[in-house]
PDB file of all heavy atoms in Angstrom:
ATOM      1  N   ASP A   9     286.434  86.520  98.685  1.00 93.00           N
ATOM      2  CA  ASP A   9     286.731  85.595  99.771  1.00 93.00           C
ATOM      3  C   ASP A   9     286.465  86.265 101.149  1.00 93.00           C
ATOM      4  O   ASP A   9     286.518  87.467 101.286  1.00 93.00           O
ATOM      5  CB  ASP A   9     288.220  85.222  99.769  1.00 93.00           C
ATOM      6  CG  ASP A   9     288.506  84.136  98.719  1.00 93.00           C
ATOM      7  OD1 ASP A   9     287.569  83.672  98.094  1.00 93.00           O
ATOM      8  OD2 ASP A   9     289.693  83.772  98.575  1.00 93.00           O
ATOM      9  N   ILE A  10     286.151  85.438 102.108  1.00 94.00           N
ATOM     10  CA  ILE A  10     286.007  85.900 103.472  1.00 94.00           C
ATOM     11  C   ILE A  10     287.317  85.584 104.194  1.00 94.00           C
ATOM     12  O   ILE A  10     287.773  84.465 104.145  1.00 94.00           O
ATOM     13  CB  ILE A  10     284.850  85.205 104.172  1.00 94.00           C
ATOM     14  CG1 ILE A  10     283.555  85.392 103.410  1.00 94.00           C
ATOM     15  CG2 ILE A  10     284.715  85.734 105.598  1.00 94.00           C
ATOM     16  CD1 ILE A  10     283.052  86.848 103.304  1.00 94.00           C
ATOM     17  N   VAL A  11     287.865  86.614 104.790  1.00 95.00           N
ATOM     18  CA  VAL A  11     289.108  86.383 105.525  1.00 95.00           C
ATOM     19  C   VAL A  11     288.925  86.690 107.005  1.00 95.00           C
ATOM     20  O   VAL A  11     288.160  87.571 107.379  1.00 95.00           O
ATOM     21  CB  VAL A  11     290.278  87.262 104.984  1.00 95.00           C
ATOM     22  CG1 VAL A  11     290.651  86.825 103.594  1.00 95.00           C
ATOM     23  CG2 VAL A  11     289.928  88.749 105.018  1.00 95.00           C
ATOM     24  N   MET A  13     290.645  88.029 110.252  1.00 95.00           N
ATOM     25  CA  MET A  13     291.762  88.876 110.593  1.00 95.00           C
ATOM     26  C   MET A  13     292.166  88.659 112.050  1.00 95.00           C
ATOM     27  O   MET A  13     291.394  88.189 112.864  1.00 95.00           O
ATOM     28  CB  MET A  13     291.418  90.367 110.404  1.00 95.00           C
ATOM     29  CG  MET A  13     290.901  90.673 109.015  1.00 95.00           C
ATOM     30  SD  MET A  13     292.149  90.348 107.720  1.00 95.00           S
ATOM     31  CE  MET A  13     293.085  91.850 107.773  1.00 95.00           C
ATOM     32  N   HIS A  17     287.204  93.498 114.812  1.00 96.00           N
ATOM     33  CA  HIS A  17     286.635  94.818 114.638  1.00 96.00           C
ATOM     34  C   HIS A  17     285.797  95.141 115.873  1.00 96.00           C
ATOM     35  O   HIS A  17     285.245  94.245 116.535  1.00 96.00           O
ATOM     36  CB  HIS A  17     285.733  94.776 113.379  1.00 96.00           C
ATOM     37  CG  HIS A  17     285.440  96.124 112.820  1.00 96.00           C
ATOM     38  ND1 HIS A  17     284.172  96.574 112.652  1.00 96.00           N
ATOM     39  CD2 HIS A  17     286.293  97.098 112.418  1.00 96.00           C
ATOM     40  CE1 HIS A  17     284.257  97.845 112.128  1.00 96.00           C
ATOM     41  NE2 HIS A  17     285.536  98.145 111.977  1.00 96.00           N
ATOM     42  N   ASP A  22     285.435  89.187 113.277  1.00 96.00           N
ATOM     43  CA  ASP A  22     286.807  89.252 112.745  1.00 96.00           C
ATOM     44  C   ASP A  22     286.846  88.741 111.334  1.00 96.00           C
ATOM     45  O   ASP A  22     287.873  88.377 110.802  1.00 96.00           O
ATOM     46  CB  ASP A  22     287.754  88.471 113.668  1.00 96.00           C
ATOM     47  CG  ASP A  22     287.333  87.022 113.831  1.00 96.00           C
ATOM     48  OD1 ASP A  22     286.321  86.652 113.266  1.00 96.00           O
ATOM     49  OD2 ASP A  22     288.050  86.254 114.529  1.00 96.00           O
ATOM     50  N   LYS A  23     285.679  88.698 110.692  1.00 96.00           N
ATOM     51  CA  LYS A  23     285.597  88.212 109.334  1.00 96.00           C
ATOM     52  C   LYS A  23     285.302  89.369 108.367  1.00 96.00           C
ATOM     53  O   LYS A  23     284.385  90.136 108.609  1.00 96.00           O
ATOM     54  CB  LYS A  23     284.547  87.111 109.231  1.00 96.00           C
ATOM     55  CG  LYS A  23     284.952  85.888 110.016  1.00 96.00           C
ATOM     56  CD  LYS A  23     283.950  84.786 109.842  1.00 96.00           C
ATOM     57  CE  LYS A  23     284.327  83.623 110.690  1.00 96.00           C
ATOM     58  NZ  LYS A  23     284.229  83.932 112.149  1.00 96.00           N
ATOM     59  N   TRP A  24     286.076  89.426 107.294  1.00 96.00           N
ATOM     60  CA  TRP A  24     285.978  90.485 106.358  1.00 96.00           C
ATOM     61  C   TRP A  24     285.854  89.919 104.976  1.00 96.00           C
ATOM     62  O   TRP A  24     286.442  88.886 104.677  1.00 96.00           O
ATOM     63  CB  TRP A  24     287.195  91.395 106.427  1.00 96.00           C
ATOM     64  CG  TRP A  24     287.378  92.059 107.749  1.00 96.00           C
ATOM     65  CD1 TRP A  24     287.806  91.434 108.922  1.00 96.00           C
ATOM     66  CD2 TRP A  24     287.171  93.413 108.072  1.00 96.00           C
ATOM     67  NE1 TRP A  24     287.873  92.393 109.904  1.00 96.00           N
ATOM     68  CE2 TRP A  24     287.476  93.623 109.435  1.00 96.00           C
ATOM     69  CE3 TRP A  24     286.741  94.517 107.334  1.00 96.00           C
ATOM     70  CZ2 TRP A  24     287.384  94.824 110.060  1.00 96.00           C
ATOM     71  CZ3 TRP A  24     286.652  95.772 107.944  1.00 96.00           C
ATOM     72  CH2 TRP A  24     286.963  95.901 109.300  1.00 96.00           C
ATOM     73  N   GLU A  25     285.151  90.638 104.108  1.00 96.00           N
ATOM     74  CA  GLU A  25     285.030  90.180 102.687  1.00 96.00           C
ATOM     75  C   GLU A  25     285.939  91.053 101.828  1.00 96.00           C
ATOM     76  O   GLU A  25     285.935  92.294 101.962  1.00 96.00           O
ATOM     77  CB  GLU A  25     283.563  90.331 102.246  1.00 96.00           C
ATOM     78  CG  GLU A  25     283.378  89.900 100.808  1.00 96.00           C
ATOM     79  CD  GLU A  25     281.946  90.144 100.320  1.00 96.00           C
ATOM     80  OE1 GLU A  25     281.090  90.521 101.130  1.00 96.00           O
ATOM     81  OE2 GLU A  25     281.721  89.962  99.113  1.00 96.00           O
ATOM     82  N   ILE A  26     286.691  90.414 100.947  1.00 96.00           N
ATOM     83  CA  ILE A  26     287.582  91.170 100.035  1.00 96.00           C
ATOM     84  C   ILE A  26     286.727  91.717  98.909  1.00 96.00           C
ATOM     85  O   ILE A  26     286.071  90.958  98.187  1.00 96.00           O
ATOM     86  CB  ILE A  26     288.665  90.241  99.491  1.00 96.00           C
ATOM     87  CG1 ILE A  26     289.534  89.675 100.608  1.00 96.00           C
ATOM     88  CG2 ILE A  26     289.565  91.043  98.494  1.00 96.00           C
ATOM     89  CD1 ILE A  26     290.526  88.648 100.194  1.00 96.00           C
ATOM     90  N   ILE A  35     288.605  95.795 102.120  1.00 97.00           N
ATOM     91  CA  ILE A  35     287.830  94.753 102.760  1.00 97.00           C
ATOM     92  C   ILE A  35     286.590  95.349 103.448  1.00 97.00           C
ATOM     93  O   ILE A  35     286.610  96.490 103.890  1.00 97.00           O
ATOM     94  CB  ILE A  35     288.660  93.940 103.752  1.00 97.00           C
ATOM     95  CG1 ILE A  35     289.335  94.866 104.780  1.00 97.00           C
ATOM     96  CG2 ILE A  35     289.663  93.060 103.073  1.00 97.00           C
ATOM     97  CD1 ILE A  35     290.083  94.138 105.884  1.00 97.00           C
ATOM     98  N   LYS A  36     285.547  94.550 103.495  1.00 97.00           N
ATOM     99  CA  LYS A  36     284.281  94.993 104.117  1.00 97.00           C
ATOM    100  C   LYS A  36     283.989  94.120 105.277  1.00 97.00           C
ATOM    101  O   LYS A  36     284.008  92.891 105.170  1.00 97.00           O
ATOM    102  CB  LYS A  36     283.171  94.927 103.056  1.00 97.00           C
ATOM    103  CG  LYS A  36     281.883  95.570 103.544  1.00 97.00           C
ATOM    104  CD  LYS A  36     280.878  95.675 102.468  1.00 97.00           C
ATOM    105  CE  LYS A  36     280.094  94.409 102.387  1.00 97.00           C
ATOM    106  NZ  LYS A  36     278.942  94.514 101.449  1.00 97.00           N
ATOM    107  N   CYS A  37     283.723  94.736 106.400  1.00 97.00           N
ATOM    108  CA  CYS A  37     283.386  94.017 107.593  1.00 97.00           C
ATOM    109  C   CYS A  37     282.052  93.293 107.389  1.00 97.00           C
ATOM    110  O   CYS A  37     281.075  93.884 106.941  1.00 97.00           O
ATOM    111  CB  CYS A  37     283.292  94.998 108.769  1.00 97.00           C
ATOM    112  SG  CYS A  37     282.808  94.183 110.330  1.00 97.00           S
ATOM    113  N   ARG A  42     281.383  98.066 107.370  1.00 97.00           N
ATOM    114  CA  ARG A  42     282.384  99.123 107.254  1.00 97.00           C
ATOM    115  C   ARG A  42     283.462  98.678 106.251  1.00 97.00           C
ATOM    116  O   ARG A  42     283.874  97.553 106.244  1.00 97.00           O
ATOM    117  CB  ARG A  42     283.004  99.442 108.608  1.00 97.00           C
ATOM    118  CG  ARG A  42     284.085 100.525 108.552  1.00 97.00           C
ATOM    119  CD  ARG A  42     284.425 101.019 109.914  1.00 97.00           C
ATOM    120  NE  ARG A  42     283.235 101.570 110.558  1.00 97.00           N
ATOM    121  CZ  ARG A  42     283.137 102.864 110.931  1.00 97.00           C
ATOM    122  NH1 ARG A  42     284.128 103.622 110.713  1.00 97.00           N
ATOM    123  NH2 ARG A  42     282.051 103.272 111.507  1.00 97.00           N
ATOM    124  N   VAL A  44     287.286  99.129 104.806  1.00 96.00           N
ATOM    125  CA  VAL A  44     288.625  99.506 105.189  1.00 96.00           C
ATOM    126  C   VAL A  44     289.611  99.202 104.061  1.00 96.00           C
ATOM    127  O   VAL A  44     289.465  98.225 103.372  1.00 96.00           O
ATOM    128  CB  VAL A  44     289.059  98.775 106.500  1.00 96.00           C
ATOM    129  CG1 VAL A  44     290.540  98.951 106.773  1.00 96.00           C
ATOM    130  CG2 VAL A  44     288.252  99.238 107.674  1.00 96.00           C
TER     131      VAL A  44
END
Side-chain angles (χ1 to χ4, degrees):
D9 280 356
I10 304 296
V11 293
M13 305 298 277
H17 200 237
D22 57 359
K23 295 185 183 65
W24 299 73
E25 181 185 353
I26 300 173
I35 52 176
K36 188 171 87 173
C37 178
R42 179 167 299 243
V44 168

